[in-house]
Amino acid sequence: MTSSPDSAPRRGRTPLAITAAIIAGLVILFFIFAGLYTDVLWFDQLGFLNVLTTQWIATAVLFLIGFIAMAVPVWISIQIAYRKRPVYAKLNSQLDRYQQVIEPLRRLAMYGIPALLGLFAGVAAATRWQVVLMWLNRSEVGRSDPQFGFDISFYLFDLPFYQAVLGFASAVVLISALVALATSYLYGSIRVSGREVIIAKAARVQIAVTAAVYLLLQAVSIWFDQYSTLTNQGSLITGASYTDVFATIPSRAILAGIAGVVALLFILTAIIGRWRLPIIGTALLIISSLLIGSLYPWVVQRFQVDPSAKSLEAPYIEKNIDLTRDAYNIADVEEIPYNATTTAESGALRADATTTANIRILDPALVSDSFGQLEQFRQYYQFPSNLDVDRYMIDGKSQDTVVAVRDLDLTGLNTGNTWVNATTVYTHGYGIVAAYGNQRSADGQPVFLESGIPTSGALGEFEPRIYFGETSPEYSIVGAPEGTDPIELDYPSGTDGSGQTYTTFSGDGGPKLDNPFKQLIYALKFQSEQVFLANAVNDKSQILYDRDPITRVQKVAPYLTLDSDAYPSVVDGRVQWIIDGYTTSANYPYSTPVSLSDAITDTETPPQPFALDSINYMRNSVKATVDAYSGEVTLYAWDENEPMLETWQKIFPSTLKPMSEMSGDLMSHVRYPADLFKVQRAILGQYHVTDPGSFYSKDDAWISPNDPDSPASNPTLQPPYYLTMQVPGQDAPSFSLYTTFQPEATGESSRNVLYGYLAVDADAGAVDGERAEGYGKMRLLTLPKDGTVPGPGQVQNVFNADPAVSTELNLLRQGSSTVLNGNLLTLPVGGGLLYVQPVYVQSTGETSYPLLQKVLVAFGDQIAFEDTLDSALDVLFGGDSGAAAGDTTVPITDTDTSTTSPTDGTDTSTDSSTDTSTTPPTTSTGNSATDAELKSLLATANTALTEKQAALASGDFAAFGVADKKLSETIASMLALLGE
């Protein structure tokens, strides 16, 4: 017998294929190992290895439990159905064919199907590691729910765990029943003969027992559904309403009992062999679920509750109000009636002198370009688009500042953005830049209290290098043996900026690349052979990655929801990123849920992705810091008695430090978090009302106003603002965070008037480990409902429509300059509400940046528009406001905008349109006769400008020349009137 010609090649190819498959598998396993090992090195270097190992162990154990809990019952179910099959069963021809096809694969299927299902179940179980660990380490809240009397921890920790277990077990039993039915049918234990279904005894017992177990699980699940009514969101409130208490909860208890009885009937069938009773019981269960579970609650709601809902629902609305306010920590808001005046009287601000001196006229959302042009120095540096607000003690006084770090921007290197430069040379940013929030230079630039390279100013000496920032490179390799010439660019130096200063990282910021094996696995991680081959990599090298502060904190504290904004502060001689961490839940009874991403989205904060977006409980339980030089992460327990944090501290012991270890310097920069405040204002819009009747009627519902400067086609909420001010009810000014409220209405019925003003004391004090007594105190100023106090949108419309203001703005727009409205601030001073808005002008040049040229102020229906806030307040309040603003003395800056930066070859000159020599004069001089003449000239100038533009559009250059001459003469007359 001869073999076919191609049999030998086939036999030769088989070992090669097996070898290739083994090699491919080993390569994949090595890549997986590399990823896991780099995680171990990263967490170990930070000192949080137990966080990683706890997650791994919990995930592995739950995967194993899930795999066994699914695979074993399914395998047993298949085995019983197969082994108890009839030996001489008469099958039809179609089943015979099925058996012929399946029989060669039977053994593989009997083990493969359970294993595959177990794999999916194991993965599903592993994802619930947080639920399981929280249940095992649960902590009591100390408050009971008003319906069942359980401690609230039952809903936070126990109920989610029990429901997850019941859901998993139900899936296991149901799948086991299905595979048993399929196997029994395939091998003849279940036969269909005409209308008759013949079930063998063994199959009957197996199916009946499985059905009984499933129904028992459903009975327990239905029983637990009673408690879920306290977290279900209804049309009126979240929590058990009248219908739930008197219809839904009792019906579920009854249905659970019926399901338990039907389960016993299936057990009886397994014994006596009759299916009639369990079939009848199952039908009754279905009918009962429709009648008792659905119809009866509907009847109660429709015919008993709806006609008298306001009175019947009142006790449950009260529970919802009480627990919602508790869940969001707004139960202690102090409401203060504020009969705001709208008349600006002379000397009205005398009692608010400290507040007016600290009004921030520098808008952190607009001055990023100003920081960039004045303080960037090199194309490989950058500032964020939105800067941060902080405060520092300057000359013994708290000073609000606008701050930013000078971080790296490797795209600015252009063709120089090679691997060596991007990874080993340009490794860090340099310095923190801070400007006075209440000052501006004579030409409208920020006034810096900390600036320059090397950095200098009022903040003293500190480590300025920013190795860990919000825009740091993906990874950098730093460090070198002692005595080696440094290769990391530190900062540009020399009087002409042509020199370079180099440095070598000396901290402990990342895993060490001290052997070829580590270099290899990181080359695989970052898919760059250079990590393994480069001469710059040595046994003293460290690799820095995951450098964004929020990313670092999220990895070491996976249980926290983090604030969307990390802000830098100089703390104890180091630049520290400060991040607020929240513990959240969606299972707090009777608490109304809110979409976290929607609540925090506003003009300055884009939508954020959150693992748990719909929440009904939130606490600022952790303050975290990330050292900008070393990357060290420190977590402080800000609310040590918070039950969810107590639970997580049991799961991850020794990862949090007590608040007592926070230095006074750090405490002085901690602030009340903005994201929490936004969530609280979203809830308070409805839940400032504590009367159930009024809540039901929604006759006093509020919303936060839209940002008046956001586009009408896509309006965004006005963000809350940090200001140092004294709110009615306070004994002294404090660093605060505030927002406003207007009536909730849409369309023609909407009114842009203020109904409420919410402020929270955001200053944590400056004592080591001791929080200031007033920190977190909320005060809600409730204004008269007659609608006399204009809201932000209304004030902005008044600003835009005022003839004198629009005339001056048109003059500022000459030469294609752009006028930018700054943040519209609202301050409760002078017995009313004062609005302050800085106005910036930016030319169209490539190197232009916004210059603060004017300040708009409003009080009631009166406005003023002046060069400085101080003069605007005086004009607004009858010639003398009674207090001085922080920009009373406008300093002269050292920077001349007509020259180039000494350390940058980029031209920073501005257009003539933004030069102060052509800036139109103020609208008021304090002399009524002069003011009248000045306003007349402004009107003439506005007319001339309109004629000039019309002539240009029509191509009438003769008329253009006449209008231009008229405009020039009018401006000259205005300047002469002002003595300039």
Side-chain angles (χ1 to χ4, degrees):
M1 182 176 181
T2 61
S3 61
S4 61
D6 61 343
S7 61
R10 285 181 179 174
R11 285 196 299 270
R13 285 197 297 267
T14 300
L16 290 176
I18 294 174
T19 302
I22 292 174
I23 293 174
L26 290 175
V27 169
I28 294 172
L29 289 175
F30 186 74
F31 270 94
I32 295 173
F33 168 77
L36 298 176
Y37 185 49
T38 54
D39 284 342
V40 169
L41 294 176
W42 191 89
F43 278 90
D44 187 44
Q45 184 274 325
L46 268 180
F48 287 89
L49 184 59
N50 66 320
V51 173
L52 181 66
T53 55
T54 298
Q55 291 181 72
W56 280 2
I57 292 171
T59 301
V61 169
L62 286 176
F63 176 83
L64 186 61
I65 291 173
F67 180 86
I68 294 173
M70 176 63 79
V72 171
V74 170
W75 180 80
I76 291 174
S77 185
I78 294 174
Q79 289 294 320
I80 291 174
Y82 176 74
R83 293 180 185 276
K84 298 297 182 179
R85 70 191 185 282
V87 178
Y88 302 107
K90 184 177 180 181
L91 305 178
N92 58 43
S93 58
Q94 187 174 7
L95 284 178
D96 280 336
R97 287 195 297 272
Y98 286 158
Q99 284 193 10
Q100 291 174 4
V101 173
I102 293 172
E103 191 60 28
L105 302 173
R106 177 178 56 80
R107 185 174 296 275
L108 177 62
M110 283 185 172
Y111 289 94
I113 292 175
L116 182 62
L117 292 172
L119 182 65
F120 289 120
V123 172
T127 61
R128 306 306 298 272
W129 66 271
Q130 291 193 351
V131 173
V132 175
L133 291 185
M134 290 176 73
W135 176 74
L136 292 172
N137 297 276
R138 57 195 179 277
S139 302
E140 287 199 354
V141 174
R143 177 171 182 173
S144 300
D145 79 82
Q147 179 61 37
F148 299 103
F150 295 138
D151 187 88
I152 287 177
S153 61
F154 171 79
Y155 300 91
L156 297 178
F157 308 120
D158 297 325
L159 188 58
F161 172 76
Y162 295 147
Q163 290 177 327
V165 170
L166 287 169
F168 184 87
S170 298
V172 170
V173 175
L174 184 61
I175 292 174
S176 298
L178 292 175
V179 296
L181 285 170
T183 305
S184 297
Y185 178 73
L186 186 62
Y187 287 98
S189 296
I190 299 176
R191 287 174 292 157
V192 179
S193 178
R195 295 185 177 181
E196 184 180 8
V197 179
I198 303 171
I199 304 176
K201 179 181 178 180
R204 182 194 75 221
V205 171
Q206 182 181 7
I207 294 169
V209 170
T210 304
V213 173
Y214 182 78
L215 281 169
L216 284 173
L217 289 172
Q218 297 314 299
V220 177
S221 181
I222 293 170
W223 181 266
F224 276 110
D225 283 345
Q226 296 178 88
Y227 311 126
S228 296
T229 58
L230 269 64
T231 55
N232 289 343
Q233 189 172 6
S235 58
L236 179 61
I237 60 170
T238 296
S241 62
Y242 182 94
T243 300
D244 291 325
V245 171
F246 290 98
T248 304
I249 291 174
S251 67
R252 288 180 180 175
I254 295 171
L255 288 173
I258 295 174
V261 171
V262 175
L264 295 177
L265 293 179
F266 273 101
I267 295 294
L268 186 62
T269 294
I271 298 172
I272 65 175
R274 295 182 180 178
W275 289 95
R276 177 171 298 178
L277 289 177
I279 291 174
I280 294 174
T282 302
L284 288 175
L285 177 60
I286 295 172
I287 294 172
S288 298
S289 65
L290 294 174
L291 295 178
I292 301 175
S294 299
L295 182 60
Y296 176 57
W298 180 83
V299 170
V300 171
Q301 179 68 35
R302 182 69 178 84
F303 297 102
Q304 185 176 355
V305 176
D306 287 349
S308 307
K310 190 171 183 178
S311 59
L312 292 179
E313 297 287 18
Y316 309 101
I317 293 174
E318 187 173 2
K319 294 175 184 178
N320 172 254
I321 293 173
D322 182 32
L323 273 84
T324 297
R325 287 168 66 95
D326 181 69
Y328 294 99
N329 202 24
I330 55 176
D332 297 327
V333 174
E334 180 184 359
E335 289 197 23
I336 303 173
Y338 190 58
N339 190 17
T341 180
T342 56
T343 303
E345 298 179 351
S346 180
L349 302 184
R350 189 164 288 112
D352 299 292
T354 306
T355 297
T356 57
N358 285 284
I359 295 176
R360 178 174 50 75
I361 57 174
L362 204 64
D363 186 351
L366 288 183
V367 297
S368 177
D369 288 343
S370 301
F371 273 48
Q373 287 297 322
L374 300 172
E375 288 292 324
Q376 181 174 322
F377 296 126
R378 282 291 187 269
Q379 76 278 9
Y380 47 79
Y381 288 134
Q382 66 176 329
F383 291 100
S385 57
N386 279 341
L387 310 187
D388 292 296
V389 177
D390 200 357
R391 72 273 189 207
Y392 289 91
M393 292 300 295
I394 307 297
D395 298 327
K397 295 181 180 180
S398 180
Q399 173 66 57
D400 289 4
T401 58
V402 174
V403 299
V405 297
R406 189 183 290 107
D407 215 338
L408 281 180
D409 178 17
L410 295 183
T411 59
L413 295 176
N414 298 319
T415 57
N417 191 8
T418 63
W419 184 90
V420 172
N421 280 337
T423 307
T424 65
V425 178
Y426 295 91
T427 58
H428 61 279
Y430 191 93
I432 191 168
V433 178
Y436 291 94
N438 61 345
Q439 296 183 21
R440 42 154 268 184
S441 70
D443 55 358
Q445 296 179 10
V447 179
F448 296 105
L449 59 92
E450 188 72 31
S451 60
I453 294 182
T455 184
S456 62
L459 303 186
E461 295 185 4
F462 61 92
E463 172 54 64
R465 296 167 184 86
I466 311 297
Y467 280 90
F468 294 84
E470 294 175 310
T471 59
S472 295
E474 181 185 12
Y475 69 98
S476 293
I477 297 176
V478 298
E482 189 174 351
T484 305
D485 291 336
I487 62 171
E488 299 175 48
L489 177 67
D490 200 17
Y491 57 85
S493 61
T495 56
D496 60 352
S498 61
Q500 305 288 355
T501 300
Y502 292 87
T503 187
T504 299
F505 180 76
S506 59
D508 184 15
K512 293 179 173 55
L513 301 177
D514 50 7
N515 60 62
F517 180 71
K518 291 181 181 178
Q519 297 167 14
L520 175 61
I521 63 169
Y522 274 106
L524 294 175
K525 178 179 178 63
F526 292 109
Q527 300 181 17
S528 173
E529 72 283 358
Q530 302 293 343
V531 178
F532 184 74
L533 300 174
N535 293 331
V537 181
N538 53 75
D539 58 1
K540 296 295 182 181
S541 293
Q542 301 174 42
I543 185 165
L544 314 181
Y545 61 98
D546 286 337
R547 300 162 75 174
D548 177 70
I550 291 179
T551 300
R552 293 178 77 78
V553 175
Q554 191 68 81
K555 289 186 70 171
V556 303
Y559 51 89
L560 291 178
T561 299
L562 299 182
D563 196 274
S564 58
D565 181 36
Y567 61 97
S569 293
V570 177
V571 177
D572 298 320
R574 316 277 293 189
V575 177
Q576 298 279 359
W577 293 95
I578 302 176
I579 305 105
D580 287 282
Y582 310 109
T583 42
T584 59
S585 176
N587 301 308
Y588 201 89
Y590 272 106
S591 178
T592 296
V594 65
S595 169
L596 183 55
S597 59
D598 289 344
I600 71 169
T601 300
D602 55 31
T603 301
E604 296 180 2
T605 307
Q608 304 287 315
F610 292 104
L612 179 64
D613 188 48
S614 180
I615 63 169
N616 68 357
Y617 173 87
M618 189 174 188
R619 286 291 188 277
N620 179 209
S621 52
V622 171
K623 300 287 187 182
T625 64
V626 176
D627 191 296
Y629 182 80
S630 67
E632 179 185 6
V633 178
T634 308
L635 307 176
Y636 296 98
W638 189 247
D639 189 352
E640 295 179 341
N641 297 321
E642 198 277 316
M644 295 191 73
L645 185 65
E646 286 182 352
T647 296
W648 285 112
Q649 288 198 75
K650 295 174 187 176
I651 298 171
F652 299 122
S654 305
T655 56
L656 277 83
K657 293 183 178 181
M659 184 181 68
S660 59
E661 294 191 22
M662 296 177 69
S663 70
D665 200 8
L666 176 57
M667 295 292 288
S668 69
H669 293 284
V670 165
R671 67 189 190 190
Y672 197 87
D675 282 1
L676 174 60
F677 188 70
K678 293 175 188 178
V679 172
Q680 290 172 325
R681 76 172 178 179
I683 292 296
L684 270 173
Q686 298 285 338
Y687 286 88
H688 69 278
V689 177
T690 56
D691 176 66
S694 178
F695 185 92
Y696 178 84
S697 301
K698 295 189 181 298
D699 56 9
D700 193 23
W702 299 347
I703 57 172
S704 299
N706 288 328
D707 190 331
D709 207 37
S710 61
S713 59
N714 184 30
T716 51
L717 291 180
Q718 186 179 42
Y721 295 118
Y722 288 100
L723 291 173
T724 294
M725 60 181 175
Q726 183 172 349
V727 179
Q730 281 184 306
D731 297 328
S734 173
F735 188 68
S736 305
L737 182 62
Y738 84 87
T739 190
T740 56
F741 293 105
Q742 66 186 38
E744 182 182 32
T746 56
E748 295 181 357
S749 63
S750 61
R751 300 176 65 216
N752 196 278
V753 293
L754 283 194
Y755 272 15
Y757 184 97
L758 178 67
V760 62
D761 191 335
D763 191 352
V767 179
D768 291 352
E770 185 176 334
R771 187 164 43 222
E773 184 178 354
Y775 173 86
K777 176 66 177 178
M778 285 189 171
R779 294 174 175 85
L780 177 61
L781 308 185
T782 55
L783 280 66
K785 300 300 187 293
D786 56 8
T788 59
V789 180
Q794 197 175 99
V795 170
Q796 189 70 66
N797 288 335
V798 171
F799 284 162
N800 295 340
D802 185 85
V805 172
S806 61
T807 298
E808 290 207 44
L809 291 179
N810 285 333
L811 290 172
L812 290 172
R813 292 189 181 100
Q814 286 189 87
S816 301
S817 295
T818 303
V819 175
L820 304 172
N821 292 328
N823 43 207
L824 184 58
L825 306 177
T826 312
L827 296 99
V829 295
L833 289 171
L834 171 69
Y835 284 95
V836 177
Q837 184 175 51
V839 176
Y840 292 82
V841 177
Q842 183 171 4
S843 69
T844 56
E846 292 183 3
T847 60
S848 66
Y849 55 91
L851 294 171
L852 178 54
Q853 295 294 320
K854 292 284 185 179
V855 179
L856 277 162
V857 293
F859 193 92
D861 58 357
Q862 303 162 77
I863 69 171
F865 189 38
E866 301 297 325
D867 290 339
T868 66
L869 174 59
D870 190 62
S871 60
L873 293 178
D874 282 340
V875 171
L876 186 66
F877 289 93
D880 180 15
S881 67
D887 65 345
T888 303
T889 304
V890 178
I892 303 299
T893 58
D894 294 332
T895 305
D896 183 357
T897 56
S898 65
T899 61
T900 59
S901 168
T903 56
D904 191 2
T906 305
D907 184 10
T908 60
S909 60
T910 61
D911 267 23
S912 62
S913 59
T914 63
D915 189 270
T916 55
S917 64
T918 60
T919 300
T922 177
T923 61
S924 176
T925 64
N927 182 290
S928 58
T930 304
D931 287 350
E933 187 176 353
L934 184 60
K935 288 184 178 179
S936 175
L937 288 171
L938 282 171
T940 303
N942 190 37
T943 302
L945 180 62
T946 303
E947 293 172 350
K948 178 179 174 181
Q949 292 171 342
L952 181 63
S954 62
D956 187 352
F957 293 104
F960 178 87
V962 173
D964 184 66
K965 181 180 179 181
K966 180 180 178 182
L967 179 60
S968 301
E969 290 173 350
T970 304
I971 293 176
S973 298
M974 292 165 64
L975 293 173
L977 187 63
L978 293 169
E980 298 182 15

